[in-house]
Amino acid sequence: SVFASNDRLLPIYCVETDKKQIAISFDAAWGNDDTEELIKILKEYDVPATFFVVGAWVDKYPESVEALHKAGHQIQNHSNTHPHMPQLSKEQMKDEIVSCNEKIKEITGKTPTLLRPPYGDYDNALIETMNELKMATIQWDVDSLDWKENATPDSICKRVTSKVKNGSIVLFHNDADHTPEALPTILKCLKDEGYEFVFIEDLIYKDNYEIIHDGTQCKKDG
């Protein structure tokens, strides 16, 4: 059910849905300056978010993982050491994912069900490995580009609000310079447009689906 053309396996970039639902996500791999601030903003706007965290980040900032979990956000897998996954063997891939899962479970009590590959870098072997682990591989269709040097709160806001559609998965980073400034405007704007914010886990289909050529996950008829 996950094959696209040329037998190339694809992760999920977005979801085809009639519901006006979107998912906000943050990758946490390096710094941690803004995590507390992001928790406050998300609480103020009553928005649940999915945080993809690296195992090494969990080791360094366990209190932030706990704070995110207590604030009601979902903690998902972003690998253990942030490697380019296609450069690893399947065994090494599995080790990266399972190690990170265990670190997250130790703090949150929950085993992650989703992986966002570091650098958005994947191949068939990774997605086959994820399927074996019964986890979904997640990308994004709206990139805030909040990590770029020339990013401004205004550019981040315009980029996200102009590209979001039903079933979008939006990518932010937990330590980008201007994300805390841009986020309130983005959340207010999207709420005003009638979007409901959900976890990626609740946005995606669990069975009877296909992933088409552009990474859109679609429900199969019947």
Side-chain angles (χ1 to χ4, degrees):
S1 66
V2 289
F3 277 92
S5 56
N6 308 323
D7 291 342
R8 183 164 164 246
L9 294 169
L10 290 172
I12 298 167
Y13 284 78
C14 60
V15 177
E16 184 181 65
T17 176
D18 293 334
K19 294 177 185 169
K20 212 160 178 175
Q21 292 183 331
I22 54 175
I24 297 282
S25 67
F26 294 84
D27 288 0
W30 317 117
N32 193 36
D33 292 345
D34 299 328
T35 308
E36 216 170 292
E37 175 80 1
L38 294 173
I39 289 172
K40 282 181 192 159
I41 295 166
L42 292 165
K43 184 180 180 183
E44 185 185 338
Y45 288 88
D46 193 25
V47 168
T50 304
F51 282 77
F52 290 93
V53 302
V54 170
W57 192 85
V58 177
D59 293 337
K60 214 170 174 183
Y61 306 111
E63 72 292 339
S64 287
V65 178
E66 195 170 349
L68 287 165
H69 176 63
K70 280 188 173 165
H73 302 295
Q74 275 202 352
I75 317 292
Q76 298 285 4
N77 195 315
H78 195 36
S79 81
N80 195 41
T81 64
H82 208 269
H84 286 276
M85 290 297 222
Q87 295 173 9
L88 307 182
S89 69
K90 272 192 166 185
E91 276 313 303
Q92 290 170 317
M93 286 178 185
K94 204 166 272 189
D95 186 53
E96 278 284 330
I97 295 156
V98 171
S99 298
C100 183
N101 274 356
E102 285 169 354
K103 289 175 182 182
I104 292 167
K105 188 183 180 188
E106 200 171 313
I107 294 173
T108 67
K110 293 184 176 178
T111 303
T113 56
L114 312 175
L115 169 83
R116 173 167 286 155
Y119 313 103
D121 201 3
Y122 67 92
D123 61 1
N124 278 11
L126 174 63
I127 295 179
E128 284 162 5
T129 303
M130 296 307 300
N131 290 344
E132 286 163 23
L133 291 169
K134 297 188 168 35
M135 292 173 68
T137 313
I138 304 294
Q139 300 278 67
W140 58 87
D141 67 317
V142 180
D143 190 345
S144 67
L145 297 181
D146 56 356
W147 53 272
K148 287 206 158 189
E149 272 183 34
N150 61 353
T152 64
D154 193 44
S155 74
I156 295 166
C157 183
K158 279 188 177 146
R159 189 172 172 80
V160 172
T161 55
S162 67
K163 290 178 182 293
V164 158
K165 63 183 191 299
N166 290 7
S168 276
I169 297 171
V170 187
L171 169 66
F172 295 101
H173 294 82
N174 76 309
D175 64 340
D177 288 345
H178 301 294
T179 305
E181 288 170 80
L183 196 58
T185 312
I186 291 169
L187 299 182
K188 184 180 184 311
C189 175
L190 295 175
K191 283 204 154 189
D192 288 348
E193 286 180 21
Y195 284 105
E196 178 194 358
F197 296 87
V198 297
F199 294 124
I200 294 173
E201 193 178 54
D202 297 330
L203 185 70
I204 62 174
Y205 303 118
K206 306 300 188 297
D207 50 35
N208 202 29
Y209 67 84
E210 60 183 346
I211 300 172
I212 61 173
H213 63 95
D214 64 354
T216 303
Q217 187 194 36
C218 306
K219 196 82 176 154
K220 279 185 175 175
D221 293 335

